[in-house]
Amino acid sequence: DADVTQTPRNRITKTGKRIMLECSQTKGHDRMYWYRQDPGLGLRLIYYSFDVKDINKGEISDGYSVSRQAQAKFSLSLESAIPNQTALYFCATSDSGLPSEQYFGPGTRLTVT
Amino acid sequence: GENVEQHPSTLSVQEGDSAVIKCTYSDSASNYFPWYKQELGKGPQLIIDIRSNVGEKKDQRIAVTLNKTAKHFSLHITETQPEDSAVYFCAASKGNNNAGNMLTFGGGTRLMVKP
């Protein structure tokens, strides 16, 4: 079984709808991250969490919110989706060593029409 | 904040040839430089990394070099094989404080190895 799973893998939604992307990990890591990938722009950090009680904004947090339900679960919400949020979204985890490898999930392809 | 630029955006090579991908960074405090490989339909996966106290690191067919003075680092793949075809991302981080695992990624390079 995969160490980092994301659901759904693909989603098409309409402008203005609320949508939640979920991430679960079995690696026992404290740190979790949400990234957005757009062509030519690499991966940009949306939010990150160093433990269940710690949530931090990343480079591009506007229009997004997150919830860390447990050590193993970190969800990303779009309260009112807009077309320019169409992108590939990745969840990642790492342990607390500095620096440490980030382990990525398979991604969620989100399309907002 | 940190800015990482990556070139080229696409690279096509013949099987067996070498491939080189280059990145520059802006923040002289960055000291950790990983490279990730993303295969089609999958998330990125770490393939090699280098810290600022080292100028070069090798792992079989891949190597990374770092020039701290010029603030650039490069990925070298020798004897390329079709399975090397993927998107490669460089990244930079200040890996020595509480927020130090934050990665700033380059824009990615799509490598195509032609059989």
Side-chain angles (χ1 to χ4, degrees):
Chain A
D1 287 343
D3 295 322
V4 184
T5 58
Q6 292 184 236
T7 56
R9 293 295 312 276
N10 289 282
R11 180 73 183 266
I12 300 174
T13 192
K14 294 185 183 296
T15 297
K17 293 292 188 182
R18 183 180 187 274
I19 183 168
M20 179 182 290
L21 310 183
E22 297 184 329
C23 176
S24 294
Q25 53 111 349
T26 58
K27 297 192 73 66
H29 290 162
D30 286 326
R31 300 183 173 196
M32 299 187 73
Y33 313 80
W34 275 105
Y35 290 92
R36 168 179 172 158
Q37 183 180 6
D38 298 278
L41 296 178
L43 294 108
R44 292 181 292 166
L45 185 63
I46 306 172
Y47 270 95
Y48 62 101
S49 169
F50 281 178
D51 63 44
V52 174
K53 298 179 181 178
D54 177 77
I55 302 287
N56 304 280
K57 293 182 177 181
E59 178 187 354
I60 54 164
S61 59
D62 287 350
Y64 302 95
S65 63
V66 291
S67 173
R68 184 82 183 265
Q69 299 94 327
Q71 185 201 37
K73 296 184 181 298
F74 192 35
S75 60
L76 175 72
S77 293
L78 287 68
E79 296 301 325
S80 180
I82 56 177
N84 77 0
Q85 291 177 313
T86 293
L88 193 53
Y89 290 86
F90 287 100
C91 172
T93 75
S94 73
D95 66 26
S96 56
L98 290 173
S100 64
E101 178 177 355
Q102 292 191 16
Y103 295 84
F104 286 81
T108 294
R109 184 168 296 280
L110 177 66
T111 303
V112 183
T113 62
Chain B
E2 176 68 280
N3 182 51
V4 177
E5 295 193 356
Q6 182 172 346
H7 300 281
S9 58
T10 60
L11 179 59
S12 181
V13 300
Q14 208 66 38
E15 182 178 358
D17 288 350
S18 295
V20 180
I21 303 170
K22 299 181 179 182
C23 290
T24 60
Y25 62 99
S26 61
D27 191 339
S28 58
S30 290
N31 58 15
Y32 173 64
F33 307 93
W35 286 86
Y36 283 79
K37 176 183 181 182
Q38 184 181 17
E39 297 178 340
L40 194 63
K42 297 183 179 180
Q45 184 173 14
L46 180 71
I47 55 171
I48 194 168
D49 56 16
I50 190 168
R51 303 189 188 194
S52 60
N53 59 349
V54 175
E56 183 176 3
K57 184 177 179 181
K58 290 183 179 180
D59 183 3
Q60 298 182 354
R61 295 186 298 107
I62 61 173
V64 57
T65 58
L66 171 65
N67 183 326
K68 284 183 60 180
T69 302
K71 290 190 281 190
H72 67 71
F73 56 112
S74 300
L75 177 71
H76 304 252
I77 306 174
T78 59
E79 301 174 17
T80 54
Q81 301 169 3
E83 52 265 39
D84 294 329
S85 296
V87 178
Y88 292 81
F89 292 100
C90 62
S93 169
K94 297 190 268 290
N96 59 1
N97 58 42
N98 197 41
N101 208 43
M102 297 301 101
L103 296 175
T104 300
F105 284 88
T109 296
R110 182 173 299 278
L111 174 64
M112 294 170 285
V113 180
K114 294 181 284 187

